[in-house]
Amino acid sequence: MSRSFPLERLRNIGIIAHIDAGKTTLTESILYYTGITYKKGGVDEGTTVTDWMEEERARGITITSAAITCQWHDYRINIIDTPGHVDFTAEVERCLRVLDGGVVLFDAVQGVEAQSETVWRQADKYNVPRICFVNKMERVGASFEHTVEMIEGRLRAKALPIQLPLGSEVDFQGVIDLIENKAYGMDGNRDEPLAEIAIPEAYQARIKEARHNMIERLAESDDQMLSRYLDGIEFSNDEIRAAIRGATLSAKLVPVLCGSALSNKGVRPLLDAVGYYLPAPSDMPPTKAVDYKDNTELTLQVSDQELFTALAFKVVTDPFVGRLVYFRVYSGVVKASDQVLNATRGKTERIGRLFLMHANRRDEIEEADTGAIVATLGLKNTFTGDTLSNMNQPVLLESIKFPEPVISIAIEPKSRMDQDKMGEALRKLSEEDPTFKVKYNEETGQIVISGMGELHLEIISHRMLSEFGVSANVGNPRVAYKEAITTKVQAEGRFVRQSGGRGQYGDCWLEIEPTARGTGFEFVERIKGGTIPRNYIPAIEAGVREACETGVLAGYPIVDIRVTVYDGSYHEVDSNENAFKMAGSMGLKAGVRKAKPIILEPIMKMEVITPKEFMGDVIGDISSRRAHIELIENRADMCLISALIPLSETFGYTTALRSETQGRASQTMEFNSYQEVPASLFKELTDKTGTKNA
């Protein structure tokens, strides 16, 4: 069997950045120069390939990640264009989990922005080697040097500029390659070679210094190169590129390039850099896995000769072909119609048709080999984060963890016809998006949907109408508060009912203690001497979990808690699973009331960029919303204000900010942490539902 493409020439990369940094425009340029499209699409015109959804084109933003396969010289590049808005950060999370390298975009005017830091941290988490591209060099206020300083200062990265801009702002002409000491202007027609332009004499001293600094930094990261550098030996261009590649793959340095995706400057050199410096699947460390049968750890070699293993990272409902599951092949080969095991769920699946994806267009293929990123039909029981494995030797890969939703709204169908369709629409949308949750509130009879922000839920509501034809009434946003405890307690849960005949008897003692923020729920069994039969322990856990879901103080879920069942008693005749489930629930509620419970609220990290003349009004407004201002930074005639602010205080803030600044300011938010609510808000929240939960 021969591979469809040499493994060492394969590049799986993501384009990641803050919103409006130019990711989609850059992707359009790449598609043009690699021959996928004959003309660049425009975000403003709604003609881009990767922003194909109706909501994306209407709003001019990327909502869902789109996969593209293209070829540049003798490299095959699988590109994923990711969203920049914080509400869709899960799209970035799952893409970085399966990618080998990343191109991080920065706006040359704004530099490192809030979401830039978030995606950088996500890339750090998955050890993704990356290169940087300083975009929009043609804009007024653009500064390559300032952006490089911010990359080093705010991201704590060791930046390695391998290009310099030739001119800036309206005079931006192209890029200077420090390795070859050549300058290139507009990328031009894709069928013509990249045109070299003359470097003005005024740049020569700056280029010499920058090239010296580049080689010096490379020498510091490579002992062998350092020895030759100290001996005064000159390095060839190929040796410099090899050193840059080594430093990039080991994350010692991050190459920085520049250009303008909109005016087609620096795009073709960037594509060259993707091939030169970003890793092939064979350059990455072997993948760790767990044996499905005996739970032992093992290592998967990156090879077609290994048994098939893949990770499903995205589920999409395509209006034309149905349910598509995207997966990355880590080892082995899979063919259309092969039978595989979903090792995560223990279910057998059959691979349907296989596709190389071009956003919403598909090229059918017969097989997918190691390193491939493809989509398939026919997987009915496979979801995001599931491992697909060979039937003979199944293994489990590490799944993908997503943040919990922070905002909820009640939603109800407008008519009986909508009611019949709503359940199916919500099911499909929650399959696609792991951060979108649907829950039925039995007390109010309402369907409650939860997500990462107002925009997230607004787009979900619009998609229900545009894609599934469901009209719905939407309530006001509600904050996803949580309950927690602050001290360790012991409590008894005792459920005894006798009403003639066989009764109900369940009795358990629970130790309840707080755990660190973000750890969730943990259940421990420590029964000795058989005081409670083993077969009743799962029922106690089910009762405890159910009580945690509904809360004690104000009906919010209880989090960051460890519950240990350590003693109890049972009745030979009257004990059953239902009785112990009730006992577990009662014990949890009794214990939490004694454990000095608190309510937690989501805190957002907000950045506002405003003209300096409005700074006072903006700071005053933010402070009045219980915000803690962390940083005020001047940027030319603008001012950046960074603050931590409770989510409940941010509703309607965008409108207020526009009013205060004549529409000239902008703001971005991302989830930061959960913190205890102040006493006044605690009383307000518990007074609303206190009698119900008393």
Side-chain angles (χ1 to χ4, degrees):
M1 184 202 69
S2 61
R3 283 188 55 86
S4 59
F5 210 85
L7 191 61
E8 66 275 8
R9 293 287 172 176
L10 184 63
R11 300 289 183 267
N12 292 320
I13 68 165
I15 299 180
I16 55 178
H18 185 90
I19 192 170
D20 285 339
K23 296 179 299 300
T24 301
T25 303
L26 177 63
T27 306
E28 285 297 313
S29 292
I30 289 173
L31 295 181
Y32 171 72
Y33 286 111
T34 55
I36 298 296
T37 57
Y38 68 92
K39 179 185 176 184
K40 272 183 66 175
V43 174
D44 294 337
E45 294 82 33
T47 56
T48 59
V49 172
T50 52
D51 285 355
W52 56 270
M53 289 172 57
E54 184 181 321
E55 284 290 325
E56 292 178 314
R57 292 187 167 179
R59 297 170 185 269
I61 62 171
T62 301
I63 293 169
T64 183
S65 55
I68 295 285
T69 299
C70 58
Q71 192 162 329
W72 179 248
H73 301 324
D74 54 351
Y75 294 98
R76 172 179 283 179
I77 308 176
N78 292 321
I79 302 173
I80 298 184
D81 174 30
T82 63
H85 197 285
V86 67
D87 283 15
F88 311 106
T89 188
E91 289 287 332
V92 184
E93 188 83 19
R94 61 174 158 198
C95 293
L96 285 172
R97 171 65 178 82
V98 298
L99 292 171
D100 299 321
V103 177
V104 188
L105 256 67
F106 298 95
D107 185 319
V109 179
Q110 304 297 345
V112 177
E113 300 174 85
Q115 192 66 4
S116 307
E117 294 185 63
T118 302
V119 298
W120 195 271
R121 286 197 305 270
Q122 288 172 308
D124 281 341
K125 183 166 84 173
Y126 293 112
N127 298 314
V128 176
R130 67 216 81 151
I131 59 178
C132 298
F133 184 73
V134 181
N135 193 25
K136 303 188 179 183
M137 285 300 305
E138 81 286 4
R139 288 185 58 200
V140 174
S143 172
F144 179 74
E145 292 77 11
H146 180 60
T147 303
V148 171
E149 287 173 8
M150 292 185 75
I151 291 170
E152 296 213 316
R154 292 186 69 167
L155 302 179
R156 303 289 187 268
K158 291 187 177 179
L160 181 75
I162 60 174
Q163 289 180 350
L164 290 179
L166 183 57
S168 64
E169 301 183 341
V170 293
D171 296 323
F172 179 60
Q173 300 172 50
V175 299
I176 301 169
D177 187 325
L178 294 176
I179 300 168
E180 296 187 344
N181 200 19
K182 294 179 180 178
Y184 302 99
M186 186 174 287
D187 293 332
N189 191 301
R190 69 183 181 201
D191 299 320
E192 299 171 355
L194 187 59
E196 185 181 342
I197 59 176
I199 302 175
E201 185 61 36
Y203 277 81
Q204 294 300 335
R206 185 181 166 201
I207 292 170
K208 186 177 180 180
E209 181 185 2
R211 193 174 194 276
H212 174 78
N213 291 339
M214 175 184 72
I215 293 174
E216 191 174 69
R217 277 214 147 180
L218 284 170
E220 289 171 359
S221 69
D222 186 316
D223 291 343
Q224 190 174 356
M225 193 175 179
L226 179 60
S227 175
R228 294 180 62 194
Y229 174 74
L230 293 175
D231 290 340
I233 299 173
E234 289 290 322
F235 298 96
S236 70
N237 292 347
D238 288 342
E239 286 175 327
I240 293 172
R241 288 195 185 96
I244 295 172
R245 178 175 176 78
T248 304
L249 298 190
S250 61
K252 292 179 180 177
L253 296 171
V254 183
V256 185
L257 301 90
C258 61
S260 167
L262 187 64
S263 57
N264 292 333
K265 292 172 184 171
V267 177
R268 290 164 83 172
L270 174 65
L271 280 167
D272 290 335
V274 167
Y276 287 143
Y277 310 125
L278 290 181
S282 53
D283 294 318
M284 301 301 288
T287 304
K288 301 292 184 186
V290 174
D291 190 283
Y292 178 74
K293 295 172 183 174
D294 59 18
N295 218 32
T296 57
E297 189 174 291
L298 47 86
T299 300
L300 299 176
Q301 297 303 317
V302 183
S303 168
D304 292 340
Q305 278 64 54
E306 288 278 308
L307 294 174
F308 168 70
T309 309
L311 184 74
F313 67 95
K314 186 177 173 69
V315 177
V316 173
T317 302
D318 189 288
F320 300 105
V321 297
R323 189 176 190 267
L324 279 169
V325 176
Y326 288 68
F327 63 87
R328 155 77 188 265
V329 182
Y330 282 93
S331 65
V333 177
V334 68
K335 297 180 180 179
S337 79
D338 276 359
Q339 198 172 51
V340 298
L341 178 72
N342 182 328
T344 306
R345 302 180 189 276
K347 294 187 176 181
T348 302
E349 295 268 49
R350 186 170 293 280
I351 300 287
R353 297 158 67 193
L354 287 168
F355 302 103
L356 280 179
M357 297 302 295
H358 302 287
N360 62 331
R361 296 191 297 108
R362 301 163 295 278
D363 284 346
E364 190 163 356
I365 56 176
E366 291 301 316
E367 64 180 30
D369 40 33
T370 300
I373 293 179
V374 296
T376 184
L377 294 169
L379 303 184
K380 297 178 181 177
N381 299 304
T382 298
F383 301 89
T384 299
D386 287 1
T387 300
L388 299 173
S389 189
N390 182 277
M391 297 288 293
N392 299 323
Q393 190 181 337
V395 298
L396 273 166
L397 298 172
E398 182 184 354
S399 190
I400 311 172
K401 295 178 181 177
F402 296 100
E404 285 295 311
V406 296
I407 187 171
S408 303
I409 56 173
I411 189 168
E412 60 181 27
K414 285 187 176 179
S415 67
R416 175 59 64 88
M417 188 181 298
D418 291 318
Q419 185 174 0
D420 296 337
K421 294 187 289 185
M422 179 180 279
E424 181 70 7
L426 291 174
R427 181 186 67 79
K428 288 180 177 178
L429 288 167
S430 60
E431 279 185 8
E432 287 185 18
D433 186 349
T435 59
F436 172 61
K437 306 288 186 186
V438 182
K439 195 189 223 175
Y440 179 72
N441 189 321
E442 293 183 0
E443 294 178 356
T444 63
Q446 290 179 313
I447 295 172
V448 177
I449 60 175
S450 305
M452 300 307 296
E454 288 183 88
L455 180 64
H456 187 194
L457 295 183
E458 181 187 330
I459 286 172
I460 290 284
S461 305
H462 285 187
R463 286 187 65 193
M464 285 177 60
L465 178 60
S466 62
E467 294 179 30
F468 300 97
V470 178
S471 297
N473 294 316
V474 179
N476 292 324
R478 297 187 305 177
V479 176
Y481 293 105
K482 309 281 187 188
E483 298 180 14
I485 59 172
T486 56
T487 188
K488 182 177 177 179
V489 297
Q490 295 176 336
E492 182 184 22
R494 184 177 177 85
F495 181 73
V496 181
R497 293 287 185 273
Q498 196 71 46
S499 56
R502 189 167 179 171
Q504 301 272 331
Y505 185 94
D507 176 41
C508 62
W509 277 91
L510 305 176
E511 184 177 85
I512 304 166
E513 57 189 314
T515 57
R517 287 283 172 266
T519 52
F521 171 84
E522 183 184 351
F523 184 82
V524 180
E525 181 267 318
R526 210 169 63 216
I527 293 294
K528 294 180 180 177
T531 54
I532 300 175
R534 297 280 177 192
N535 57 307
Y536 293 140
I537 301 300
I540 296 172
E541 181 179 356
V544 168
R545 285 185 179 275
E546 199 171 276
C548 282
E549 283 294 314
T550 55
V552 172
L553 285 173
Y556 303 114
I558 301 170
V559 296
D560 306 334
I561 189 172
R562 181 184 295 116
V563 180
T564 303
V565 55
Y566 67 93
D567 201 359
S569 62
Y570 73 103
H571 191 278
E572 291 280 0
V573 177
D574 292 349
S575 287
N576 55 50
E577 289 184 356
N578 185 61
F580 273 100
K581 181 179 178 182
M582 290 298 296
S585 177
M586 293 167 68
L588 187 281
K589 290 181 178 179
V592 168
R593 290 191 185 100
K594 295 192 298 181
K596 298 179 182 176
I598 58 174
I599 293 178
L600 306 173
E601 64 178 338
I603 304 296
M604 311 299 285
K605 182 177 181 180
M606 181 168 71
E607 285 197 355
V608 180
I609 297 177
T610 177
K612 286 182 178 177
E613 61 260 39
F614 304 113
M615 185 177 73
D617 292 338
V618 171
I619 290 174
D621 188 7
I622 293 174
S623 300
S624 71
R625 296 172 182 263
R626 295 198 287 126
H628 169 67
I629 294 175
E630 290 190 309
L631 173 72
I632 299 174
E633 185 179 285
N634 291 320
R635 295 183 178 177
D637 58 341
M638 304 294 281
C639 176
L640 179 140
I641 303 163
S642 180
L644 296 177
I645 183 169
L647 176 63
S648 59
E649 301 289 345
T650 66
F651 297 143
Y653 179 68
T654 301
T655 304
L657 182 65
R658 286 180 188 144
S659 176
E660 290 165 357
T661 63
Q662 300 171 13
R664 294 169 60 193
S666 63
Q667 61 90 14
T668 57
M669 277 188 295
E670 63 175 319
F671 172 73
N672 182 266
S673 62
Y674 269 91
Q675 294 182 15
E676 184 178 353
V677 300
S680 58
L681 182 56
F682 177 88
K683 186 175 187 307
E684 180 185 328
L685 292 172
T686 51
D687 283 351
K688 288 179 182 176
T689 51
T691 53
K692 178 184 72 177
N693 292 297

